[in-house]
Amino acid sequence: MKTTILKALRESGGDYLSGQTLSEALGVSRTAVWKAIGGLREEGYEIESHRRLGYRLMETAPRLTEEDLALALRPMGIETIRYRETLTSTNDEAKALAASGADLPGVVVSIEQTSGRGRRGRQWLSPKGDGLYISFFLAPEIAPERAASLTHLAAYAVNGALAHLIDREVGIKWPNDLVIGGKKVVGILTELSAEVGSLNYVVVGIGLNLKQTTFPEALREQATSLVLEGIEPPDGIELAREISARFLDAVHLYEETGTLAHVLPALREASVTLGRRVRILRPESTIETKALDLDEEGALVVESPEGGTERIYFGEVSVRGLAGYA
Ligand code: BTN
């Protein structure tokens, strides 16, 4: 309801719309219109009301609210859209929505997480207003063992969105980090609910460091933010829109073709891993080798210590010359 009213107000281009017109057009009572206008005002929209003329929106730029997100993302085919300023973790909220039967695909967005999660049980620091946290939940028609591909599709989408919105090269450190000047600015956490051979849903969570001006000592060498790199962060709504559009398109093509071929040139081009010495951390051992290529499943092709090549599908990789691998 608030979304529909916001849409009507935006489409009127700053002209007044009477309460009567709105209630007739939307098939709801004038009291319901009045309540929705109150709700929008509480979210910060400046809506002027005039006794005879009705309501008009005093600002035009979309804002990071559930209503503006819905206006931006519904036309792309995102069915469930949730925005909350603060959440424990957008991935957890996305899982809860998917498990309770919310329409897919869906997206959860927040600007603060009180229990943000990183890979391998690590914490993802998410102080209010410093970052943007986005989790998609979807049920692509792919086998569960291929869900890791969604991490590559998300890295592709974020890289493309940032290339469009900021004037700085952002690299992809295989498989799930985006880096500026060797330091991590975006992390991706893909989680899934599956049974043997069949996927229920996947959650792809993206954490963007935008405005942090400092990081705890232990992270300072490895983490950065757009502000720390001297880059003005784009609006949250712009980021959400640009990332979502690229991610959904890439997922559709992946479902149709079953390969990452359509994103491989961009992934290779942005990779800060290829051609470098890498250290691959495995539960049983750590190997040092050279990263040669990415294949159409997203695997990292490396020189095998025994000669020839070897494919790495998952794992923690540090890249020589980048933070964390001296
Ligand atoms: C990593 O690099 O370790 C992955 C970090 C992923 C963080 C994002 S923030 C949005 C989503 N919600 C979470 O709790 N984690 C992911």
Side-chain angles (χ1 to χ4, degrees), residues 101-208:
D103 290 334
L104 307 182
V107 69
V108 178
V109 179
S110 81
I111 56 164
E112 179 184 32
Q113 299 183 114
T114 51
S115 313
R117 289 184 291 108
R119 295 210 310 168
R120 299 172 169 256
R122 287 189 286 245
Q123 190 190 5
W124 183 261
L125 288 178
S126 316
K128 190 169 198 151
D130 278 353
L132 185 69
Y133 313 105
I134 305 179
S135 295
F136 295 98
F137 53 103
L138 58 169
E141 287 181 14
I142 59 172
E145 58 273 19
R146 310 205 73 183
S149 300
L150 295 185
T151 302
H152 303 298
L153 296 175
Y156 157 84
V158 178
N159 183 260
L162 290 175
H164 179 73
L165 294 169
I166 66 173
D167 192 16
R168 184 75 64 86
E169 245 176 64
V170 181
I172 301 176
K173 178 172 158 288
W174 186 91
N176 68 332
D177 294 347
L178 280 91
V179 295
I180 296 183
K183 291 185 172 184
K184 177 157 163 173
V185 70
V186 177
I188 300 168
L189 177 67
T190 300
E191 301 180 289
L192 71 158
S193 154
E195 279 141 42
V196 178
S198 96
L199 185 87
N200 300 324
Y201 59 83
V202 191
V203 172
V204 182
I206 301 168
L208 298 107

Side-chain angles (χ1 to χ4, degrees), residues 39 202 205 254 258 283 303:
V202 191
Y254 182 64
E303 276 176 3

